[in-house]
Amino acid sequence: MNSSEEIAVSARSAGRSALRMGPAELVQAAAMARRFYLEGKSKIQIAEEFGVSRFKVARVLETALERDLVRIEIRVPAELDAERSDALRAHFGLRHAVVVESPAEGADESPDPENLGEVAADLLGELVAEGDVLGLAWGRSTIHMAAALDRLPPCTVVQLTGVYDAGTAERGSVEAVRRAAQVSGGEAHPIYAPMLLPDPATAAALRHQTGIARAFDYFDKVTVACVSIGSWEPGISTVHDMLSDEERAHYASLGVAAEMSAHLFDTQGRRVGRDLGERCITVEADRLRRIPEVVAIAGGPRKAEAIGAVLRSGLVTSLVTDTAAADLLLTAAPGPRPALERADPDD
């Protein structure tokens, strides 16, 4: 029995409708319900025990629910919103969507609350299997996630992007990769290089350096990836903050609404400003699209539009977000291609 589900079976009448059943029927219904819901027996096993058909067992169990002899309660931790999670998953065609309660105060000013990282860490503990290759992209939320990791099957961990600032590598994504590898007991393949370089030639030269090339060799082997999403505004996108005023204006004129791992997207999920990628140390979008499970961590109302844009790109399969962002996402159009199709909106 899942610890998050509590099933209560009672043999007493719980309403007027139950009074219409005789005592023998009540006792039998309660006994069958107990076998099925609490002991995990199949309808065939119950039928054999009571000497009836499995169809009668099914009818008795249905009656027990209708007449309130069986009460089923689905309980999840208070910080998780199961209803919004399921609605968001269905709305965007995601494999997994986990919605966390927004902070009581400061939700509007604090994108990616730290508790998103904690929940994402638990989710990775579920999704990653022994022998997988876990990819981590740069981002505050992925750094918080790595810090919160306390369980992870043995796996290889590879960095998917350069860092915001090479001078802070020990406190950023390099340390996140090391932390995840330490928890899992697997190999770590960090990237000691900035995410954004002055020109394509410098970026190309760095990609051929031994350590960075070794990490890039693992990109096609990644089975689970964890990424962050940024809105195209100061303090919400690290790439935005790394560019000059002229460059920001140029990409804004192209309609950029979101950034993920140095890839830019308009509101419909189409990639724009592809030339930026030539200057970046990052996993290519086509490689991201081939990764079986890509988990995005992003929250806050200021990021809602950006999250929606990235979900429409088809690059992400799962999302960890908060109620503030989820409420806005649920009112937005999901786009013609659900995320699970992994289709390219530009095709």
Side-chain angles (χ1 to χ4, degrees):
M1 179 62 58
N2 191 310
S3 61
S4 67
E5 299 182 4
E6 179 180 297
I7 300 176
V9 180
S10 172
R12 62 182 176 82
S13 170
R16 291 184 178 180
S17 59
L19 292 174
R20 296 173 186 172
M21 298 177 69
E25 291 178 299
L26 284 168
V27 171
Q28 184 184 69
M32 288 183 176
R34 185 174 291 106
R35 303 289 193 281
F36 185 74
Y37 291 108
L38 298 183
E39 298 175 12
K41 291 187 176 181
S42 69
K43 293 175 184 176
I44 293 177
Q45 290 174 313
I46 297 170
E48 291 175 351
E49 178 183 349
F50 286 88
V52 298
S53 72
R54 68 178 185 276
F55 302 107
K56 180 174 181 179
V57 173
R59 287 196 301 272
V60 170
L61 292 174
E62 184 178 351
T63 300
L65 283 170
E66 291 174 350
R67 301 194 176 187
D68 208 19
L69 295 178
V70 174
R71 295 171 182 168
I72 301 177
E73 296 180 16
I74 309 299
R75 294 182 179 177
V76 296
E79 68 270 16
L80 299 182
D81 192 310
E83 186 174 350
R84 282 187 176 92
S85 297
D86 188 54
L88 194 60
R89 178 199 57 76
H91 192 65
F92 283 96
L94 296 166
R95 185 171 291 123
H96 303 284
V98 182
V99 177
V100 181
E101 287 290 339
S102 298
E105 298 180 2
D108 291 344
E109 301 301 325
S110 302
D112 298 341
E114 290 192 22
N115 61 341
L116 294 187
E118 296 170 3
V119 173
D122 287 340
L123 179 61
L124 282 190
E126 292 183 59
L127 299 180
V128 176
E130 183 173 351
D132 274 349
V133 176
L134 172 62
L136 300 181
W138 196 97
R140 298 180 186 91
S141 56
T142 53
I143 292 171
H144 291 155
M145 180 277 301
L149 281 171
D150 59 10
R151 64 185 177 96
L152 207 58
C155 64
T156 299
V157 186
V158 60
Q159 193 169 324
L160 296 178
T161 65
V163 298
Y164 173 49
D165 177 45
T168 63
E170 293 301 318
R171 301 188 302 276
S173 47
V174 169
E175 181 56 32
V177 169
R178 288 176 174 168
R179 167 66 181 167
Q182 179 184 30
V183 173
S184 74
E187 295 181 3
H189 294 277
I191 292 178
Y192 295 96
M195 181 188 294
L196 180 66
L197 281 303
D199 53 71
T202 304
L206 275 178
R207 292 189 198 104
H208 286 92
Q209 287 190 357
T210 302
I212 297 174
R214 187 180 300 116
F216 268 65
D217 286 342
Y218 272 93
F219 285 180
D220 286 330
K221 303 173 186 177
V222 173
T223 50
V224 180
C226 193
V227 300
S228 297
I229 296 173
S231 299
W232 198 245
E233 57 180 301
I236 312 296
S237 165
T238 52
V239 172
H240 177 282
D241 293 345
M242 285 189 280
L243 297 173
S244 67
D245 290 341
E246 183 179 356
E247 289 170 323
R248 291 173 193 148
H250 165 66
Y251 291 117
S253 71
L254 300 179
V256 60
E259 173 266 319
M260 180 184 70
S261 302
H263 301 296
L264 309 181
F265 307 88
D266 66 12
T267 57
Q268 299 305 310
R270 295 183 293 256
R271 289 181 58 209
V272 297
R274 299 188 183 211
D275 60 304
L276 181 64
E278 298 175 3
R279 297 169 49 195
C280 293
I281 302 297
T282 185
V283 61
E284 299 94 328
D286 289 342
R287 278 176 159 172
L288 267 178
R289 202 180 301 279
R290 293 195 295 269
I291 297 173
E293 184 74 76
V294 179
V295 181
I297 313 171
R302 293 173 65 186
K303 280 195 176 183
E305 182 181 40
I307 295 169
V310 172
L311 294 184
R312 294 183 194 100
S313 76
L315 292 175
V316 168
T317 61
S318 298
L319 174 69
V320 178
T321 190
D322 66 345
T323 52
D327 285 343
L328 294 172
L329 286 166
L330 288 170
T331 64
R337 296 178 173 88
L340 279 183
E341 293 183 12
R342 313 302 293 283
D344 188 339
D346 293 334
D347 290 345

